[in-house]
């Protein structure tokens, strides 16, 4: 052992910047980017299983791209090689590839090649890497601050999974700062560092999501607050707010005039103008001007917006923006900022109409009707009027009252086609009625065929066969309606962790799976048939990407999960069928909900759906209604002693903001003789007995068979859709909304949805 070299290494480490020393070494030390590396996420599972495929990390500086690559290097059993695209080229790449090839052939050991700033390589350099990524000689980890879809070879992108890293939030930065202050080996844990109120928060705020910037400022603040550094162990170091402010002077405006942020910020500006938000428009305008964006570029985009977004709702918009642009050319900066502001505010506060997009509809019409001739009366009469009669029949509008006359202007194949739709905003509102009236009159002026031949015909079908045909095709529509209604308020992100309760055969599971490519889907099923069905469809998926499906009671599944696994989205159908007995399950589900998560369930409410009495004649109806009042009124009946109001109160007791909507869906339900016997034996006859009603059960069954057996009954289901989260409750969230009866949705089913 060389004591001098060991001491030299320690001194070298101590002299490294704090941001370098504090780089996480393991996944547990890594802070932030929970959306891609959090518990249960796809990337974390791949790293832990050492089954990483080629990836590209994309995001602004200081978000942990290189750090994450180093964590992978410390975790993988593969050889880890590093190249920096700024300092290396094809020569260095070929050396690493050859080493990787020999390592694989001689020792059967794979290689991960990390290329920092991969976008810096030109196309030929990136092409040199492609075949070795494709044949598996190396697994690529690329890091870039530029959008890889524009700056990285498309072939490389298509063979890699893209992970976008976001700027860290304040909580993440505070955790990183505290980690550095507590670490005795790499940070300042050997000293007692304290801060004046607001000092550490100032460092976090001005760091603006950049961990490297925060740690550099923290190092400067700590090491300049003592006479000499390092002081003795246990020394108290006090950081005043003034020292913190001097350590990090100003937020860096994240902006690259040739990169993604250039396009993202101008997009945010135009969308704010389009959305009539003058405050947001001024903010994004100021951000562009502050970063040195070319004012001519901003004016060009505003000139487009004046016609695309404002259009004929305010024809003066283009005039105002053009005048401001010309004035800016004469005045320049800094006074020209008034003209930028004037144009932006005018557009943001103007009435909006996008009716000029009608041109693109007309363009489609041109493509579809490219061979249509110009109508004869519209052709040029100056050359061929005598020989071909061009121009004959044209009516000169100025010769008529109001300078308008009804005649055909479109080609015959497009006659009656509408491209331009005037909006009801501003100036366009004043011409809307006139445009519509002219269209109607023009259509009346064109001769059209009065007869249309009926070319199809359908023979009559027997009632039962009609019902069978309908149920085969319509059952899926009914379930699709339930799925659409339940998921319409779910805002899935690709990195979300989703728990699907009572997943059945996958109605909700696969929709969640499609929308969470980098997340995790865990599903609970109630039967082996359901488990086998889902696993059959998942067979072709990569092992790491398959949904995790469990045949178990939901409460048992929740209890068996890792204690730090939380879900951004929890969804399910008929999870609380015995709602008053399911409070413990409700509590367990809420405990698994992430801080910004949401829970969405659909429950059939038996007490509000159809009943047998709805389909009986008057001589039987009264007796059956009495029995049903008794049946559905029993407080001990777990299936019927609750409704949507109870569901709402149950979730509100767990601290969630809840919105409940209700919906009636109907189906054509076939009632068989066995169903009738079951209803009578288990429910109605015992109720008649309790009510002291004398009933001949056998005769009653025969009568019901005559009335109902083998008939399609229009059976209504009452569904409650519950949407709950930790977010503040909206003003209308207390109301239970009735969304109407969707009659005519037909399906063959012998129980609730």
């Amino acid at each position: 052992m060389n004591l001098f070299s060991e001491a030299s290494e320690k001194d070298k480490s101590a002299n490294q910047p704090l941001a370098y020393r504090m780089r996480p070494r393991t996944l547990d030390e890594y802070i932030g980017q929970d959306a891609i590396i959090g518990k249960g996420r796809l990337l974390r599972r791949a790293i832990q299983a050492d089954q990483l495929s080629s990836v590209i990390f994309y995001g602004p500086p200081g978000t942990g791209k290189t750090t994450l690559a180093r964590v992978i290097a410390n975790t993988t059993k593969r050889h880890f090689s590093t190249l920096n695209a700024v300092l290396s080229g094809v020569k260095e790449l070929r050396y690493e590839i050859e080493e990787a090839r020999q390592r694989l052939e001689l020792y059967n050991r794979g290689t991960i090649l990390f290329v920092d700033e991969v976008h810096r390589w030109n196309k030929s350099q990136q092409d040199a890497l492609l075949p070795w990524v494709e044949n598996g000689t190396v697994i690529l980890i690329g890091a870039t601050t530029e959008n890889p879809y524009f700056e990285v070879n498309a072939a490389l992108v298509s063979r890699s999974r893209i992970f976008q890293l976001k700027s860290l939030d304040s909580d993440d930065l505070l955790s990183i700062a505290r980690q550095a202050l507590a670490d005795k080996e790499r940070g300042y844990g050997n000293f007692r560092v304290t801060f004046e109120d607001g000092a550490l928060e100032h460092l976090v705020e001005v760091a603006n999501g950049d961990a490297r910037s925060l740690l550099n400022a923290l190092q400067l603040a700590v090491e300049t607050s003592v006479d000499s550094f390092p002081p003795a162990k246990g020394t108290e170091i006090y950081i005043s707010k003034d020292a913190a402010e001097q350590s990090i002077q100003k937020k860096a405006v994240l902006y690259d005039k040739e990169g993604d942020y250039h396009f993202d910020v101008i997009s945010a500006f135009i969308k704010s103008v389009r959305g009539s938000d003058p405050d947001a428009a001024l903010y994004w305008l100021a951000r562009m001007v502050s970063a040195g964006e070319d004012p001519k570029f901003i004016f060009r985009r505003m000139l487009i917006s004046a016609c695309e977004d404002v259009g004929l709702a305010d024809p003066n918009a283009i005039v105002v923006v053009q005048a401001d642009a010309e004035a800016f050319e004469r005045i320049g900066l800094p006074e020209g900022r008034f003209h930028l502001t004037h144009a932006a505010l005018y557009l943001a506060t103007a009435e909006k109409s996008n009716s000029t997009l009608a041109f693109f509809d007309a363009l489609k019409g041109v493509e579809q009707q490219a061979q249509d001739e110009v109508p004869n009366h519209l052709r040029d009469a100056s050359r061929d009027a005598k020989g071909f009669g061009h121009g004959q029949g044209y009516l000169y509008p100025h010769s008529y009252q109001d300078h308008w006359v009804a005649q055909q202007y479109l080609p015959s194949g497009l006659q009656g086609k509408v491209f331009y739709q005037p909006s009801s905003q501003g100036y366009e509102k004043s011409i809307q009625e006139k445009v519509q009236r002219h269209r109607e009159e023009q259509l009346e002026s064109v001769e059209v065929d009065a007869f249309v031949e009926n070319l199809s015909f359908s023979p009559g079908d027997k009632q039962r066969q009609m019902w069978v045909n309908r149920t085969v095709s319509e059952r899926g529509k009914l379930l699709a309606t339930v799925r659409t209604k339940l998921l319409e308020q779910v805002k899935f992100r690709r990195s979300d962790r989703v728990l699907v309760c009572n997943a059945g055969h996958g109605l909700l599971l696969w929709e969640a799976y499609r929308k969470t490519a980098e997340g995790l889907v865990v599903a609970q099923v109630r039967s082996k048939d359901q488990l086998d069905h889902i696993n059959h469809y998942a067979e072709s998926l990569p092992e790491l990407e398959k949904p995790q499906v469990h045949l178990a009671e939901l409460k048992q599944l929740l209890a068996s999960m890792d204690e730090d696994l939380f879900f951004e989205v929890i969804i399910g159908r008929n999870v609380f069928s015995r709602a008053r007995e399911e409070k413990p399950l409700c509590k367990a589900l809420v405990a698994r909900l992430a801080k910004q998560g949401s829970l969405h369930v659909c429950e059939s409410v038996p007490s509000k759906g159809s009943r047998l009495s709805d389909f009986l004649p008057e001589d039987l109806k009264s007796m059956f209604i009495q029995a049903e009042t008794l049946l559905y009124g029993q407080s001990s009946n777990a299936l019927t002693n609750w409704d949507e109001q109870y569901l709402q109160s149950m979730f509100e007791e767990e601290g969630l903001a809840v919105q409940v909507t209700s919906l009636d869906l109907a189906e054509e339900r076939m009632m068989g003789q066995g169903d009738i016997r079951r209803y009578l034996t288990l429910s109605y006859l015992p109720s008649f007995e309790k009510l002291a009603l004398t009933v001949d059960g056998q005769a009653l069954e025969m009568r019901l068979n005559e009335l109902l057996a083998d008939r399609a009954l229009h059976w209504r289901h009452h569904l409650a859709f519950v949407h709950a989260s930790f977010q503040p409750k909206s003003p209308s969230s207390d109301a239970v909304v009735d969304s109407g009866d969707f009659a005519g949705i037909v399906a063959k089913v012998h129980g609730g949805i």
Side-chain angles (χ1 to χ4, degrees):
M1 181 175 69
N2 189 325
L3 297 177
F4 294 102
S5 64
E6 184 180 357
S8 175
E9 286 298 320
K10 288 183 178 180
D11 291 341
K12 182 180 178 181
S13 177
N15 291 327
Q16 293 285 4
L18 178 65
Y20 182 88
R21 301 198 307 268
M22 289 304 303
R23 278 182 170 170
R25 297 161 294 190
T26 66
L27 283 171
D28 291 334
E29 289 182 353
Y30 194 93
I31 296 173
Q33 307 303 339
D34 181 72
I36 66 169
I37 205 69
K39 188 77 172 182
R41 309 288 191 192
L42 174 66
L43 181 58
R44 188 185 189 96
R45 303 199 307 272
I47 294 171
Q48 290 174 333
D50 203 5
Q51 294 183 20
L52 193 69
S53 58
S54 292
V55 296
I56 295 177
F57 298 139
Y58 154 52
T63 51
K65 300 182 296 297
T66 305
T67 299
L68 186 52
R70 292 184 181 276
V71 168
I72 295 171
N74 294 335
T75 306
T76 183
K77 294 178 182 177
R78 295 180 174 89
H79 181 82
F80 194 91
S81 299
T82 301
L83 289 176
N84 189 304
V86 177
L87 304 175
S88 59
V90 174
K91 178 182 176 182
E92 291 79 6
L93 175 61
R94 285 175 177 165
Y95 172 80
E96 292 294 347
I97 294 297
E98 180 61 24
E99 289 289 306
R101 191 181 61 79
Q102 292 188 18
R103 204 175 290 120
L104 190 62
E105 290 179 357
L106 298 177
Y107 307 107
N108 196 28
R109 189 183 183 196
T111 299
I112 293 178
L113 178 61
F114 173 57
V115 182
D116 202 6
E117 303 290 338
V118 65
H119 65 279
R120 299 282 187 178
W121 274 350
N122 59 35
K123 186 178 186 300
S124 63
Q125 289 171 316
Q126 293 181 30
D127 284 342
L129 176 59
L130 180 60
W132 309 107
V133 171
E134 182 145 12
N135 67 20
T137 301
V138 297
I139 291 173
L140 170 68
I141 299 179
T144 174
T145 57
E146 302 294 334
N147 190 329
Y149 291 102
F150 296 109
E151 301 298 334
V152 178
N153 187 323
L156 272 181
V157 169
S158 70
R159 289 160 176 80
S160 306
R161 189 179 287 271
I162 310 297
F163 289 97
Q164 184 173 3
L165 281 69
K166 296 291 189 179
S167 297
L168 302 178
D169 60 28
S170 297
D171 290 341
D172 292 333
L173 292 178
L174 278 172
S175 297
I176 290 170
R178 291 178 182 131
Q179 186 184 60
L181 294 170
D183 193 302
K184 294 184 178 181
E185 179 186 348
R186 300 173 296 159
Y188 301 123
N190 291 317
F191 318 114
R192 292 184 295 162
V193 182
T194 58
F195 292 80
E196 182 182 352
D197 287 346
L200 181 58
E201 289 74 10
H202 176 77
L203 294 179
V204 167
E205 180 185 357
V206 181
N208 203 28
D210 188 330
R212 187 185 299 111
S213 175
L214 170 67
L215 290 174
N216 288 340
L218 182 63
Q219 181 178 10
L220 185 61
V222 169
E223 297 185 9
T224 58
S225 295
V226 291
D227 294 334
S228 61
F229 195 87
K233 288 185 177 180
T235 300
E236 183 173 343
I237 303 175
Y238 179 73
I239 311 297
S240 66
K241 193 169 183 180
D242 180 64
E245 290 172 349
Q246 292 184 35
S247 298
I248 187 166
Q249 293 289 333
K250 182 182 178 182
K251 288 184 181 181
V253 178
L254 189 57
Y255 199 84
D256 178 355
K257 287 192 286 183
E258 296 180 356
D260 257 12
Y261 299 104
H262 160 78
F263 294 104
D264 287 344
V265 175
I266 191 65
S267 174
F269 170 67
I270 291 300
K271 287 174 180 174
S272 300
V273 167
R274 183 179 297 137
S276 300
D277 188 333
D279 300 309
L282 287 182
Y283 168 78
W284 296 114
L285 176 64
R287 185 156 166 177
M288 288 187 289
V289 172
S290 175
E293 180 61 86
D294 184 358
K296 292 181 181 178
F297 171 73
I298 302 174
F299 270 121
R300 281 199 300 274
R301 294 303 298 265
M302 286 197 287
L303 284 166
I304 295 169
S305 181
C307 288
E308 178 186 354
D309 301 315
V310 178
L312 287 177
D314 187 346
N316 283 323
I318 185 66
V319 179
V320 171
V321 177
Q322 178 63 26
D324 280 324
E326 291 180 357
F328 183 89
E329 287 291 324
R330 302 179 67 178
I331 295 170
L333 291 173
E335 290 86 352
R337 291 179 292 188
F338 290 115
H339 300 85
L340 279 166
T341 303
H342 183 259
L345 287 177
Y346 190 95
L347 292 179
T349 56
E351 298 286 352
K352 302 296 190 299
S353 169
N354 67 344
S355 58
T356 52
L357 294 178
F359 168 78
F360 298 99
D361 291 331
L363 204 57
K364 291 179 183 177
V366 170
E367 295 169 356
Q368 295 166 1
Q369 301 286 341
Q371 302 304 315
D372 273 15
E373 297 288 343
V374 176
N376 191 66
H377 66 285
L378 297 182
R379 295 187 181 188
D380 180 13
S382 63
R383 295 178 296 140
D384 298 316
K386 291 183 178 180
F388 297 102
H390 289 177
Q392 291 183 10
Y394 171 65
L395 305 178
Y396 188 58
H398 296 298
S399 300
Y400 295 84
Q401 185 178 359
D402 297 327
H403 302 266
W404 183 84
V405 62
Q407 64 180 325
Q408 176 182 346
Y409 290 102
L410 279 169
S412 297
L414 291 173
Q415 190 61 33
K417 180 72 174 176
V418 173
F419 298 117
Y420 172 56
Q421 291 283 12
S423 74
S424 56
Q425 304 299 316
Y427 165 77
E428 269 190 313
K429 184 176 182 179
S430 66
I431 64 172
Q432 187 179 44
E433 184 179 344
K434 180 175 70 175
V435 171
Q436 297 290 356
R437 189 178 69 250
H438 284 178
R439 280 180 179 151
E440 293 164 3
E441 294 177 13
Q442 283 181 192
L443 286 174
E444 288 294 330
S445 71
V446 180
E447 293 184 3
V448 295
D449 292 336
F451 302 97
V452 178
E453 185 179 5
N454 192 354
L455 300 178
S456 64
F457 143 117
S458 298
D461 294 315
K462 293 182 180 180
Q463 183 180 8
R464 183 174 180 82
Q465 186 59 42
M466 290 174 61
W467 178 84
V468 171
N469 292 341
R470 286 199 304 267
T471 55
V472 170
S473 62
E474 294 294 333
R475 177 60 177 170
K477 292 182 181 179
L478 185 145
L479 292 175
T481 302
V482 173
R483 179 178 58 194
T484 301
K485 180 69 176 175
L486 179 62
L487 298 184
E488 65 185 3
Q489 293 196 34
V490 184
K491 307 300 181 185
F492 287 107
R493 293 167 296 184
R494 288 174 60 86
S495 59
D496 278 348
R497 293 161 294 197
V498 183
L499 173 62
V500 185
C501 308
N502 189 20
H505 291 84
L507 177 73
L508 303 177
L509 183 151
W510 294 115
E511 187 70 17
Y513 176 83
R514 282 189 290 271
K515 295 182 177 180
T516 55
E518 278 80 46
L520 170 71
V521 177
V522 177
Q524 173 256 341
V525 296
R526 295 176 175 176
S527 71
K528 188 175 185 304
D529 172 66
Q530 295 170 349
L531 177 68
D532 293 341
H533 186 92
I534 292 173
N535 285 338
H536 170 73
Y537 281 95
E539 279 180 0
S540 61
L541 299 173
E543 192 63 35
L544 278 173
E545 298 180 22
K546 290 181 179 179
Q548 298 180 8
V549 188
H550 302 272
L551 173 56
E553 290 294 325
L554 184 54
K555 283 181 282 192
Q556 294 174 357
L557 176 61
L558 293 171
S560 67
M561 291 177 178
D562 291 345
E563 61 181 15
D564 55 349
L565 177 59
F566 300 96
F567 297 92
E568 281 73 30
V569 178
I570 297 176
I571 54 178
R573 190 166 62 92
N574 290 339
V575 180
F576 298 97
S577 298
R578 300 173 179 268
R580 290 189 184 272
E581 298 176 358
E582 300 289 6
K583 279 193 174 183
L585 175 59
C586 177
K587 186 180 292 291
L589 281 174
V590 173
R592 288 290 177 179
L593 200 59
K595 183 171 61 174
Q596 301 298 328
S598 59
L599 183 149
H600 311 264
V601 294
C602 170
E603 301 292 332
S604 294
V605 185
S607 61
K608 294 188 176 182
S610 288
R611 304 177 182 184
L612 273 185
S613 61
D614 297 335
F615 308 99
L616 297 177
E618 291 300 325
D619 61 319
L620 292 178
K621 184 183 289 286
S622 175
M623 179 176 67
F624 272 76
I625 288 177
Q626 291 181 61
E628 288 163 353
T629 301
L630 179 62
L631 281 169
Y632 290 99
Q634 292 176 350
S635 60
S636 60
N637 190 337
L639 291 173
T640 61
N641 62 3
W642 58 274
D643 57 15
E644 52 261 68
Q645 283 82 7
Y646 179 79
L647 289 175
Q648 179 167 336
S649 65
M650 181 173 66
F651 283 102
E652 287 178 342
E653 287 177 10
E654 298 301 326
L656 300 183
V658 184
Q659 183 182 33
V660 180
T661 60
S662 58
L663 176 67
D664 286 337
L665 289 182
E667 61 178 355
E668 297 301 307
R669 177 178 178 181
M670 185 67 73
M671 183 73 70
Q673 293 186 10
D675 298 315
I676 293 173
R677 183 175 299 111
R678 178 170 54 86
Y679 270 111
L680 280 175
T681 304
L682 298 179
S683 301
Y684 284 92
L685 291 178
S687 298
F688 293 149
E689 187 175 344
K690 289 181 181 179
L691 293 167
L693 296 175
T694 303
V695 175
D696 183 342
Q698 188 174 2
L700 181 59
E701 182 178 342
M702 291 178 61
R703 178 80 188 283
L704 291 179
N705 284 336
E706 292 174 1
L707 292 169
L708 305 178
D710 297 326
R711 286 182 52 195
L713 306 180
H714 191 70
W715 198 276
R716 181 175 53 84
H717 298 279
H718 187 82
L719 304 178
F721 294 86
V722 180
H723 305 281
S725 69
F726 290 116
Q727 300 301 317
K729 189 184 297 185
S730 64
S732 61
S733 62
D734 287 324
V736 176
V737 183
D738 228 331
S739 301
D741 187 349
F742 282 175
I745 300 179
V746 189
K748 180 180 181 181
V749 67
H750 294 284
I753 292 179

